[in-house]
Amino acid sequence: MKKISILGSTGSIGRQTLDVVASLADQVQVVGLAAGGNIELAAAQAAKFQPRVVSVATEAGARELAERLSASGNHPLPEIVFGTDGIETVATLPETDIVVSAAVGVAGLPATFKAVQAGKLVALANKEVMVAAGELVMAESQRRGVAVLPVDSEHNAIHQCLRAGERGEVKRLILTASGGPFRKTPLKDMAGVTREQALAHPKWKMGQRITIDSATMMNKGFEVIEARWLFGIPRERIEVVIHPQSTIHSMVEYVDGSILAQLGPTDMRMPIQYALTYPLRVTSNGLALEWANLRKLEFEKVSRRKFPCLRLAHEALAQGGAAPCMLNAADEEAVAAFLAGRIGFLCVAEVIESTLEKASSAPMESIEEVLAADKEARRLARLEIARLEIDRRRN
Ligand code: NDP
């Protein structure tokens, strides 16, 4: 029986992980759950999966969770913890074998790093961890001899395709992108796109941040950085291609010209299950590709003019140092401002570009340095957002 802790259990990935766990009840047991502010769902999950420890974001949330569980007759109560210490406790429980890192944003970084330090196998959904601190996290995982298994569908696909050859035989990694909701929108119409249009992803149902990142294609930029560190492949050998059907989740080209692709339904439960059962493959709960509905597989080049966020991600990776971390932080602030109706869609890239102008290239030596760069980038991004907001009101 594998014992798992889930960071971000109430989110889109967290809930799907629990679906997978429910279908693998004889193989996987939940021992720790960490949620943010959704106490009602955290209580329902704790009642159903009976973890030993549950963490929530705040002390008030922890009190509410205890009250809810007591009122519904759940005895004994799990150990209830909260805040940064709480999520780190869940990430490092002595009995945990696998930590599913699915809390959104850089908030999940310290706990994920602690999990690696504690020798836990990490099933990584939280791509911001790799974007902000990929080099540090992978160096630590190598030092400890623990694996970081990708849950993100593209990297999970690459992980599967890499099992077919030796690392020295790899020519390039090819990340597929659906192209998001604006693949066919002319550049001149992009400035006026609304929150609702940007949240309407054609293929995947995900949390809000990643859905907007998919619309700007920053998500694919993050994935290039994630692939760089997860697989140790230089950025020049990582390509992005638009594949609107999202049936091929990504590919690996070997030096002999052979290309291996991983195909599957657009359902995150498949990569989640792979990460939880790796190196074994076990029967899935009815997940299968509908061949009869699969009429064509199309591919297109990405327009970097239309999607400047992808260019910015490449530039940040090339610059190194604080730049990728600041890219992520500025994006998180800009996406929140766009969702709040404070700035327009194209301003997301503007905020990031202006923040990156101040990024240092000096290598990051510790998680504390990463968090300091993150904080500084947010401060700069907020200033730029406020400036753009004033401009917008004037015009
Ligand atoms: P959601 O927004 O749906 O969920 C985020 C989760 O993080 C929630 O459980 C939330 O808790 C929790 N959370 C937020 N802040 C904190 C905090 N301070 N402490 C503890 N928990 C916190 O996001 P997704 O599930 O969509 O994405 C999670 C990660 O996985 C992201 O990094 C994303 O990029 C990545 N990913 C997601 C994919 C998807 O299909 N959704 C695909 C590939 C990668 P609460 O709701 O209780 O506040």
Side-chain angles (χ1 to χ4, degrees), residues 8-16 34-39 57 87 101-105 107 125-128 151-153 204-208 210 219 268:
S9 65
T10 44
S12 164
I13 293 289
R15 293 192 306 267
Q16 293 180 82
N38 189 345
I39 308 302
I87 189 171
S101 172
V104 66
N126 182 331
K127 60 188 79 189
E128 297 89 343
V151 166
D152 211 352
S153 60
W204 295 94
K205 198 162 169 13
M206 309 175 284
Q208 288 201 339
I210 183 172
N219 183 49
M268 287 304 294

Side-chain angles (χ1 to χ4, degrees), residues 10 35-46 54-69:
T10 44
N38 189 345
I39 308 302
E40 189 180 350
L41 183 55
Q45 292 177 340
V54 182
S55 169
V56 292
T58 64
E59 189 170 7
R63 268 197 305 276
E64 186 189 333
L65 179 62
E67 283 161 15
R68 280 178 181 272
L69 287 172

Side-chain angles (χ1 to χ4, degrees), residues 150 154-173 227 230-233 250-254 260-262 274 278 281:
E154 293 77 0
H155 305 79
N156 189 273
I158 288 171
H159 190 272
Q160 298 194 40
C161 296
L162 286 173
R163 290 170 79 177
E166 298 299 325
R167 204 50 63 96
E169 296 167 351
V170 173
K171 185 170 173 195
R172 57 184 181 144
L173 309 182
L230 275 172
F231 306 116
I233 302 281
S250 278
M251 302 177 258
V252 174
E253 183 175 342
Y254 286 92
L260 271 84
Q262 189 261 345
Y274 173 89
Y278 178 82
R281 289 185 187 272

